[in-house]
Amino acid sequence: MANTLGEILTDSGLIWKAGVPLRTLCHWKIGGPADYVIEPRSAEEAAAAQRIAGEANVPFLVIGHGSNMLFDDAGYRGVIIKLGRKMSRCRFSGSRVRAEAGIWAPMLARACAGRGLAGLEHIVGIPGNLGGLVYMNGGSLRQSIGDAVVCVEVLDERGNVAAVSAAECNFSYRHSVFQEKKSVVLGVELELRQSTPGDVRRKMLEILKERREKFPLNLPNCGSVFSNEPPLYETYGPPGMVIEQTGLKGARVGDAEISARHANFIVNRGRASSAEVFALVRHVRRKVLERTGFLLRCEVCYAAPDGRCGRLDAFL
Ligand SMILES: Cc1cc2nc3c(=O)[nH]c(=O)nc-3n(C[C@H](O)[C@H](O)[C@H](O)COP(=O)(O)OP(=O)(O)OC[C@H]3O[C@@H](n4cnc5c(N)ncnc54)[C@H](O)[C@@H]3O)c2cc1C
């Protein structure tokens, strides 16, 4: 049944929204319309969306908070499955927590702090959802979410719910097995350490203070654009420092700008387009290559209009 908002209500009550501007679903505030966006409330609804996209032979892409995504100016010709607030329950049992993939990472970190459970302090300032964090094996302060994972519940490529052990997740620096498989992360079980609410909260406040001082949080951005590869780090330092020393702070293509505050961030000064971000990323890589001999790799993911998705540098 279609209504005037371009929404289709299926028999199950799942709403398919048509023509949703992707800039409203990501932190960079860039991206044209997606054919359809749905936000499932359960694993069954996520499976139904995956099946319907498969039967219609259109691509689908799972996203969380869109904090590590560049969408294209031309949008996405398929179905975006957003795992967010509607799948964000968590349940504690001793030092373990089972959380759904849509929970916002800072919220999960705070819930753990309230119970005096330590181990997730480093994610308190990461503005993504748990599913995206596991997909990216994100983290900070030389820690990654994978360090605490016991197992991950996924919807596999055939639409079956399956458990993936921590070892099978194949976690390494900003990498997980989910980057190779087209599975949907539905939920995660994490093992934490008993501490006290006061100690955990104190650590989190320190981390948040440091991040506020370091990162340009007042303009739309996607966090670190380039990944901190060990060979570059060992020879020249982190990408932000290398880009700064290459004289690129403040470099701009249209409204996409290398942040004057942290050179590994590209900020959107108003109406930046995906084409402008691509041009700026190419420019930075060329200049850094000329100076250091290292070709920067991207941490940020890009969704092409035709359904392909991967690290941005794979599309340059
Ligand atoms: C200001 C700022 C600071 C940041 N700081 C950090 C930091 O300190 N450390 C860090 O690691 N990252 C950081 N990031 C990047 C980003 O927040 C993380 O990568 C985060 O984990 C992405 O989660 P998300 O829900 O937003 O994922 P999205 O951006 O929505 O998606 C990212 C990728 O994950 C996939 N994905 C998302 N959800 C699922 C799912 N349920 N199942 C399968 N695949 C899925 C998507 O297809 C996409 O390929 C920062 C970003 C910003 C804007």
Side-chain angles (χ1 to χ4, degrees):
M1 181 173 51
N3 67 20
T4 49
L5 294 171
E7 293 176 348
I8 298 168
L9 192 63
T10 58
D11 294 344
S12 66
L14 184 61
I15 296 170
W16 291 65
K17 291 185 178 171
V20 178
L22 286 166
R23 66 174 181 280
T24 61
L25 296 183
C26 68
H27 283 233
W28 242 336
K29 307 273 176 255
I30 295 172
D35 286 351
Y36 288 101
V37 173
I38 64 142
E39 191 172 342
R41 293 163 296 188
S42 62
E44 292 72 32
E45 286 191 353
Q50 184 199 43
R51 194 190 63 246
I52 292 167
E55 285 168 1
N57 204 20
V58 294
F60 75 90
L61 176 69
V62 192
I63 65 162
H65 217 261
S67 62
N68 202 40
M69 287 296 311
L70 176 64
F71 291 116
D72 197 277
D73 303 327
Y76 188 81
R77 304 288 71 79
V79 181
I80 300 283
I81 301 177
K82 179 179 166 62
L83 289 199
R85 265 206 304 254
K86 292 179 182 168
M87 277 184 72
S88 61
R89 289 157 284 241
C90 67
R91 211 176 57 236
F92 288 87
S93 166
S95 57
R96 288 205 174 175
V97 55
R98 285 180 81 96
E100 288 184 314
I103 194 167
W104 202 48
M107 198 175 277
L108 176 63
R110 290 199 176 102
C112 293
R115 285 166 176 79
L117 292 172
L120 294 189
E121 297 89 319
H122 69 104
I123 68 165
V124 70
I126 302 181
N129 295 348
L130 182 61
L133 196 66
V134 167
Y135 175 96
M136 293 302 301
N137 193 22
S140 73
L141 303 169
R142 288 170 295 285
Q143 294 169 71
S144 304
I145 188 69
D147 304 342
V149 167
V150 177
C151 72
V152 177
E153 187 179 77
V154 299
L155 192 62
D156 69 18
E157 277 144 296
R158 287 161 309 194
N160 300 317
V161 174
V164 182
S165 70
E168 291 166 332
C169 289
N170 213 1
F171 288 120
S172 59
Y173 179 73
R174 301 295 172 262
H175 170 268
S176 74
V177 73
F178 310 112
Q179 294 170 17
E180 281 111 48
K181 293 187 171 181
K182 207 166 164 49
S183 41
V184 181
V185 175
L186 295 171
V188 186
E189 183 168 341
L190 301 154
E191 173 77 45
L192 305 164
R193 297 185 310 279
Q194 198 60 57
S195 175
T196 64
D199 280 352
V200 180
R201 283 202 185 105
R202 246 187 311 280
K203 182 88 190 298
M204 285 181 176
L205 288 174
E206 274 167 32
I207 292 172
L208 288 172
K209 180 167 176 284
E210 197 180 312
R211 291 176 71 94
R212 269 196 304 273
E213 285 161 6
K214 227 167 55 181
F215 298 148
L217 301 176
N218 56 337
L219 287 169
N221 69 78
C222 225
S224 298
V225 173
F226 299 101
S227 66
N228 199 351
E229 305 288 327
L232 175 79
Y233 184 83
E234 281 150 25
T235 321
Y236 287 97
M241 185 195 277
V242 177
I243 296 166
E244 182 173 350
Q245 287 168 353
T246 310
L248 290 167
K249 262 192 171 176
R252 193 162 170 169
V253 176
D255 269 350
E257 182 183 280
I258 300 293
S259 165
R261 189 139 186 206
H262 192 304
N264 199 11
F265 280 51
I266 291 180
V267 292
N268 178 356
R269 288 222 144 258
R271 293 166 166 260
S273 63
S274 61
E276 288 167 357
V277 173
F278 264 88
L280 190 53
V281 167
R282 274 195 202 99
H283 178 66
V284 170
R285 288 179 100 212
R286 193 175 60 247
K287 290 289 179 191
V288 169
L289 179 67
E290 280 167 14
R291 197 174 77 82
T292 66
F294 283 100
L295 194 54
L296 291 172
R297 298 212 46 221
C298 288
E299 186 164 320
V300 72
C301 300
Y302 165 72
D306 63 9
R308 288 171 301 144
C309 180
R311 299 294 177 107
L312 194 153
D313 52 284
F315 295 87
L316 290 169

